[in-house]
Amino acid sequence: MNRARIQKCCAREILDSRGNPTVEATVILDDGSIGTASVPSGASCGKFEAHEKRDADPNYYHGKSVLKAVYNVSKVISPALVGMCPSDQSEIDRILCELDGTENKSNLGANAILAVSLANARAAAGHYELPLYRYLGGTLAGRIPVPMMNILNGGAHAGNNVAIQEFMILPVGASSFSEGLRMGSEIYHTLGNILKEKKLAATVGDEGGYAPNLDSDEEAIELILHAIEKSGFSTDTVRISLDVAASEWYHDGEYRVVKRDKTFSPTELTDYFASLTQKYPIFSMEDPLDQEDFDSWKTLTDKCGKTTMLVGDDLFVTNTARLEKGIRLGAANAILIKPNQIGTLTETLNVIRLAKENGYRFILSHRSGETEDTTLADIAVAVNAPFIKSGAPCRSERVAKYNRLLRIESSLGTSACYGKQTIERLPDEKEAIFV
């Protein structure tokens, strides 16, 4: 059987949602199939993430241009991949890592490597005339994830006085993704009206969530609970999730919350977040502690891990070695999956596999600097992800992922499953997590 081969890889510099340069790559096959993918960029980044290569030329995009990464795609990566079969994804990704030769992909740049890795998967799917989720996930791909919608921003994602980075809602009680998206959109707009009534700012942050100044971070939770109720829903059907991004606060063994002019010891912060889970209907908390504070992570997991999803983002950075350490120490019970933290599709799928095997939930996630690329949505369905983070139901780079999921749900028809049954039991009941 004749197999398509890679004919050429090329790249260009495009802009992300914050107006900063990023890499878009295209893989062209000898049968005419083409795959294109672009990579996002984070605002609050873990120090163990793969390296995002930028030019550091102060006279060009304030040092943030990615022309070196673009060059690496065309002049280094392309010659090495020409003639390869695009369906050999793991071998292609192995070669990409070998070409770079560093642990954190700092030579070629994770942005260059990931763009090619994802574009190659898209080209292969095109060759087989399959949607990407079906090409990657086969016949078992059919679960549409529960959206975790960031509707109020703080931290590094907004210029307000709110310290916690994201306040999200999860329409867990919806009967379908389309219904869940409607519920989230209605709550989002209701929250905007409440803010206006209170004469609070209804401008939005990087991920589309509102960014008002508030008297306390708990006031944000109260406002969201009000919006849920006013929209005609209850906390039985819509839950709350927090992304704390506490690594931004950690200095010299303590947590300095500059926006609130407060300082917490690790014990004090652990006790505070444990108390929040008792006071409010909080389904999950992401990065409530620092990326190296494994002892406090274990303490918090022991305190509330049976009732709350504790998600490692900076803690794990989509890295099998970091996740293995967390599993061994009993830190967290879930992992955020961001392909650009590790740099290839194969490595991303390996981390998901490790999480599944050890009963850790996983969430496919966007970044604060996004593009209109919808690959993330297809990967989420391909691996039957219980959850996806793509921001507020606002801003086209966020809504593009949600609209892609709507189209996938429609194409699956009656075989589409929505994620309610994946979250009915507690995180330690492994058999209920991945179905």
Side-chain angles (χ1 to χ4, degrees):
M1 182 178 68
N2 292 329
R3 304 175 73 191
R5 304 286 173 174
I6 295 175
Q7 187 177 76
K8 181 182 179 181
C9 304
C10 55
R12 64 200 56 80
E13 185 178 66
I14 65 170
L15 295 184
D16 69 15
S17 59
R18 293 180 299 180
N20 293 324
T22 190
V23 179
E24 178 183 81
T26 297
V27 172
I28 303 170
L29 307 186
D30 59 9
D31 70 342
S33 300
I34 296 175
T36 298
S38 56
V39 296
S41 177
S44 59
C45 299
K47 64 183 179 181
F48 299 104
E49 291 191 23
H51 178 73
E52 179 184 68
K53 196 172 192 67
R54 295 192 181 273
D55 301 336
D57 179 354
N59 297 315
Y60 199 72
Y61 281 114
H62 302 284
K64 294 184 178 181
S65 59
V66 292
L67 295 179
K68 291 177 182 177
V70 167
Y71 175 90
N72 288 338
V73 172
S74 301
K75 301 301 182 181
V76 181
I77 293 174
S78 184
L81 298 187
V82 167
M84 291 197 67
C85 178
S87 60
D88 293 336
Q89 184 76 43
S90 60
E91 178 63 11
I92 286 170
D93 288 344
R94 184 193 68 78
I95 289 173
L96 288 171
C97 293
E98 191 175 82
L99 279 173
D100 177 84
T102 66
E103 186 176 344
N104 68 346
K105 300 178 177 65
S106 58
N107 184 15
L108 298 179
N111 43 354
I113 291 171
L114 180 64
V116 173
S117 179
L118 297 180
N120 175 76
R122 284 200 166 276
H127 167 70
Y128 290 107
E129 298 182 349
L130 291 170
L132 183 61
Y133 74 88
R134 185 64 69 202
Y135 170 73
L136 293 176
T139 57
L140 296 180
R143 179 167 304 284
I144 312 297
V146 174
M148 303 175 73
M149 301 182 188
N150 176 7
I151 64 171
L152 198 149
N153 284 182
H157 288 177
N160 59 0
N161 68 349
V162 177
I164 291 175
Q165 186 165 273
E166 299 176 21
F167 297 80
M168 294 167 278
I169 52 172
L170 290 78
V172 298
S175 61
S176 65
F177 177 81
S178 56
E179 183 188 31
L181 190 61
R182 175 186 63 81
M183 292 164 65
S185 177
E186 290 177 1
I187 294 167
Y188 174 77
H189 289 292
T190 299
L191 177 61
N193 290 332
I194 291 171
L195 293 175
K196 291 173 186 175
E197 290 169 2
K198 292 180 175 291
K199 300 191 184 311
L200 295 169
T203 52
V204 300
D206 284 349
E207 297 182 2
Y210 300 112
N213 285 315
L214 300 173
D215 290 337
S216 71
D217 282 28
E218 288 188 43
E219 185 183 356
I221 299 175
E222 298 285 355
L223 286 168
I224 292 171
L225 289 174
H226 184 195
I228 291 171
E229 181 181 4
K230 193 171 181 179
S231 299
F233 306 113
S234 73
T235 53
D236 291 331
T237 56
V238 181
R239 302 291 297 278
I240 291 175
S241 178
L242 308 178
D243 175 7
V244 180
S247 292
E248 300 283 323
W249 305 345
Y250 194 68
H251 301 280
D252 300 326
E254 60 185 11
Y255 293 87
R256 301 172 188 169
V257 187
V258 175
K259 283 191 173 186
R260 293 295 178 196
D261 193 25
K262 289 184 179 180
T263 299
F264 296 87
S265 69
T267 299
E268 289 170 337
L269 193 63
T270 299
D271 289 343
Y272 172 67
F273 285 127
S275 70
L276 283 187
T277 66
Q278 299 296 318
K279 186 176 180 181
Y280 298 108
I282 295 174
F283 178 78
S284 73
M285 284 192 293
E286 178 185 327
D287 280 352
L289 296 155
D290 182 64
Q291 57 204 315
E292 294 191 272
D293 194 0
F294 276 93
D295 289 341
S296 297
W297 268 98
K298 175 172 171 46
T299 299
L300 186 61
T301 305
D302 290 342
K303 279 178 176 286
C304 54
K306 292 185 182 299
T307 58
T308 308
M309 190 165 71
L310 300 172
V311 186
D313 175 17
D314 293 345
L315 182 71
F316 296 139
V317 291
T318 318
N319 184 294
T320 53
R322 297 282 298 178
L323 178 57
E324 284 170 349
K325 181 176 180 179
I327 292 167
R328 185 173 67 253
L329 296 178
N333 55 29
I335 179 173
L336 208 66
I337 302 294
K338 295 175 174 175
N340 82 319
Q341 287 181 329
I342 192 63
T344 67
L345 176 59
T346 299
E347 290 169 295
T348 301
L349 298 178
N350 286 340
V351 175
I352 292 172
R353 185 178 302 112
L354 180 63
K356 286 185 177 184
E357 289 171 350
N358 289 274
Y360 273 52
R361 296 184 183 186
F362 60 99
I363 304 161
L364 269 292
S365 177
H366 64 160
R367 301 306 299 259
S368 58
E370 263 295 339
T371 74
E372 63 274 23
D373 188 294
T374 60
T375 303
L376 188 77
D378 279 77
I379 295 174
V381 177
V383 298
N384 290 306
F387 311 97
I388 188 169
K389 280 182 63 176
S390 185
C394 170
R395 298 180 53 136
S396 60
E397 76 280 359
R398 315 296 157 181
V399 174
K401 280 75 165 172
Y402 294 137
N403 286 341
R404 174 59 183 156
L405 289 170
L406 285 174
R407 296 183 187 105
I408 294 174
E409 183 178 59
S410 178
S411 69
L412 290 171
T414 57
S415 66
C417 299
Y418 183 68
K420 182 178 180 182
Q421 55 265 54
T422 67
I423 58 177
E424 286 178 335
R425 299 186 187 179
L426 303 183
D428 60 338
E429 299 185 63
K430 297 180 183 179
E431 71 279 6
I433 296 174
F434 309 109
V435 292

